[in-house]
Amino acid sequence: MNTLLEVSGVSVSFDGFKAINNLSIQIAERELRAVIGPNGAGKTTFMDIVTGKTRPDEGRVIWGEKSVSLLSMSESQIARAGIGRKFQKPTIFEDQSVRDNIAMALKNPRGPFDVLFFRERPADAARIDEIAGEIGLSGEMARPAGELSHGQKQWLEIGMLLAQDPRLLLVDEPAAGMTPAEREHTTDLLKRAAETRAVVVIEHDMEFVRRLNCKVTVLHEGSVLAEGSLDHVTKNQHVIDVYLGR
Amino acid sequence: MRKPFILRHPSVLWFLLALSLLTLGVTILSEGFGLGLISTSFVKTLGKTLCLCLIAVAMDVVWGYCGILSLGHFAFFGIGGYAIGMWLMYARTEQIVAASLSGGPLPPTPQEVTDAVGTQIFGVVGSSEIPLLWSFADSLALQLAMVVLVPGLLALVFGWLAFRSRVTGVYLSILTQAMTLALSLYLFQNDSGLRGNNGLSGLQNIPGYEAVPQSVVAIVFFWASALALGAGYVLFAWVVSGKMGGVIRAIRDNEARVRFLGYDVESYKLFVFTLTAIVAGIAGALYYPQAGIVNPAEIAPIASIYLAVWVAIGGRGRLYGAVIGAAFVSLLSSWFTGGGAPDVPLGFYTIQWTDWWLVLLGLSFVAVTLFFPKGIGGLFDRLVRNPR
């Protein structure tokens, strides 16, 4: 399969602390990947680097078949290139309606004047309805997003990511704070999303990762400790020592 | 088929209706066209108030909707005033000079007229040269273009530098204060080319219309101010509605998230900052001919802070709130500081409102911030949404 994202030899340190140390990860097109690791392993920093929030001290981050470097691009340029990101805490726009939240994320020209003179086409409305159905919020479209339950907010954010139609979805602890039923729905959402695009999920919960049933990367102290199926990595002695054994 | 924008926002219609009724009422009661029940100076006060409402609406968009607490928008207002003031002063002085020179045996050469105009205008700052800045002062069209271009360009350059460096929050507020302070200090200098602390004066006299009495000039400017406020209100209501409004409010609430949605936050901020600066310039160009004088003290940092206070008291994030706040506070302020409020003798001390008004204003600002964060406009919302 073609490589979509290639992170190679990336290091970054904050005040002398090496958060990422010579990290290399490759994500293929339409791949579902789970990234696990203890606290401070650099999982979130990895996402920060890919999405342009943090600049690495060294290394390369290469994107797409044209092999463009993401390091010289701004956050919004990277997002427009096709990388969507979901934060750990649900970040939606609480005083706007569910529908407006999805509509804002919908893939359309992003310049100020495009937006100023924007008029919604029937295709846009159909896509918004479709996404709302997928995340189970069809009945909540007119409600202010701030009124949603925690789980619904997480889904709305996933829905906004789907609306962006990215080629790579980075999802940070999507199931945190969810009920078992909500977790199951979230697993389904992510698996379905991965049928048409690459999805990288950061997760703490082993049970959740097992249900995703995908290739797993274990991070430790800012670099890759092990990679492979969940069964494979959980048998790895290093992984047991630093993570699972505790 | 979508309904037109105005019909989807009935509050805009209500506002336009109220503004038209006010305009009609003032016209009927004015000395210029009607019964003469309200004085010309009060018509001017009302006209000026409408201009302040217009800049307050602009401030509300940049602060209340986009979250940029600019404490420098009065600089753009002042620049608008200076731009139109230059033409008013130059054209009028030129007429007076031409009239007085025409008594001689030979008609005056253009050079003589120019020199005499220079002496007239810049005598107070010990100069008779017409500075380069005044190159277009004899053209109304060009000076009107300046009303829009100079605030727009200044905002564009300032905003580009500030937003590109991701200066936000209180640091941006301080930077905008520094901008307006620097401009005001520069204009205070006698060799700034804009008559130092004298500023530009006699702006109430419109060249070519000397025969028209001030009572009529006042009402015409009142109409122009009402028209500008109405147009500005509709423009901004349109900008903050729909998808643009959604993105702008999203930037206020969480700009990092908006970036990850693929929107270039900086260009949105720059758009809002520049557009509101241009409207502020237009408001200033209508205000100062009614005030009669513009000087550097007008764009001192405190003026822009007042602007923020008006919007906060009126209610951020709702355009009519800004209008209410600006009208209410500025009219009250001129009542208190103009000696309208009777002094309160306490025996040992007499409260003179000209001094104590600021204390009262400060206290109400604190009270509104603490107890009514949505301001006066928030009370409106409660009446409309909970009609119990």
Side-chain angles (χ1 to χ4, degrees), chain B residues 88-359:
Chain B
L88 287 169
M89 209 171 169
Y90 187 93
R92 186 172 138 77
T93 311
E94 194 178 33
Q95 279 181 356
I96 294 171
V97 163
S100 72
L101 287 182
S102 67
L106 286 172
T109 64
Q111 187 57 45
E112 279 172 346
V113 174
T114 312
D115 288 346
V117 169
T119 315
Q120 271 290 323
I121 296 182
F122 298 101
V124 288
V125 289
S127 163
S128 62
E129 291 279 299
I130 294 185
L132 215 55
L133 212 55
W134 289 65
S135 308
F136 309 122
D138 57 340
S139 160
L140 174 60
L142 286 176
Q143 287 301 133
L144 283 178
M146 300 276 189
V147 165
V148 172
L149 289 179
V150 179
L153 280 177
L154 178 61
L156 198 66
V157 171
F158 177 89
W160 186 73
L161 291 170
F163 299 139
R164 188 193 55 148
S165 318
R166 302 243 171 126
V167 180
T168 54
V170 66
Y171 301 101
L172 187 89
S173 304
I174 293 170
L175 215 56
T176 55
Q177 279 270 281
M179 174 194 73
T180 189
L181 178 64
L183 191 66
S184 137
L185 288 179
Y186 173 73
L187 289 176
F188 262 121
Q189 293 180 324
N190 278 346
D191 55 2
S192 67
L194 289 163
R195 300 191 0 132
N197 65 345
N198 305 285
L200 309 182
S201 54
L203 308 185
Q204 73 277 19
N205 305 304
I206 312 302
Y209 295 90
E210 287 78 4
V212 179
Q214 277 296 312
S215 58
V216 174
V217 170
I219 204 78
V220 170
F221 266 97
F222 181 84
W223 290 340
S225 308
L227 192 69
L229 176 58
Y233 194 94
V234 172
L235 171 72
F236 284 127
W238 175 65
V239 168
V240 300
S241 70
K243 195 173 175 184
M244 188 68 174
V247 175
I248 291 175
R249 279 179 290 142
I251 289 173
R252 172 192 69 192
D253 294 339
N254 189 344
E255 65 172 70
R257 182 72 181 90
V258 178
R259 278 196 195 101
F260 289 118
L261 279 178
Y263 291 97
D264 186 34
V265 167
E266 283 65 42
S267 45
Y268 282 81
K269 286 185 173 179
L270 196 56
F271 170 77
V272 171
F273 193 74
T274 307
L275 181 67
T276 55
I278 289 173
V279 172
I282 294 171
L286 283 165
Y287 179 94
Y288 288 105
Q290 302 181 73
I293 181 164
V294 53
N295 62 45
E298 296 287 322
I299 55 177
I302 188 73
S304 298
I305 293 178
Y306 278 140
L307 181 59
V309 171
W310 297 341
V311 173
I313 289 181
R316 259 180 299 162
R318 36 181 76 61
L319 296 181
Y320 56 87
V323 171
I324 294 170
F328 181 67
V329 181
S330 71
L331 285 177
L332 212 58
S333 164
S334 54
W335 187 64
F336 274 112
T337 54
D343 293 344
V344 182
L346 295 176
F348 57 96
Y349 183 78
T350 305
I351 296 181
Q352 287 179 323
W353 286 115
T354 40
D355 298 332
W356 280 87
W357 156 244
L358 278 185
V359 177

Side-chain angles (χ1 to χ4, degrees), chain A residues 51 75-76 79-80 87 91 93 95-96 104-105 108 110-113 115-119 157 164, chain B residues 1-2 166 238-239 243-244 246-247 249-250 252-254 257-264 267-268 271:
Chain A
T51 54
E75 292 101 315
S76 59
R80 287 197 296 271
F87 289 83
T91 42
F93 301 107
D95 76 337
Q96 302 191 33
M104 198 192 308
N108 268 316
R110 294 290 205 229
F113 293 99
V115 168
L116 187 61
F117 296 104
F118 177 77
R119 303 206 50 178
E157 201 181 354
Q164 256 177 281
Chain B
M1 185 60 207
R2 257 159 51 122
R166 302 243 171 126
W238 175 65
V239 168
K243 195 173 175 184
M244 188 68 174
V247 175
R249 279 179 290 142
R252 172 192 69 192
D253 294 339
N254 189 344
R257 182 72 181 90
V258 178
R259 278 196 195 101
F260 289 118
L261 279 178
Y263 291 97
D264 186 34
S267 45
Y268 282 81
F271 170 77

Side-chain angles (χ1 to χ4, degrees), chain B residues 360-384:
Chain B
L360 189 67
L361 181 64
L363 287 177
S364 13
F365 178 56
V366 172
V368 163
T369 315
L370 287 180
F371 303 116
F372 307 102
K374 288 176 177 170
I376 304 174
L379 298 177
F380 258 74
D381 289 2
R382 251 186 247 179
L383 289 178
V384 174

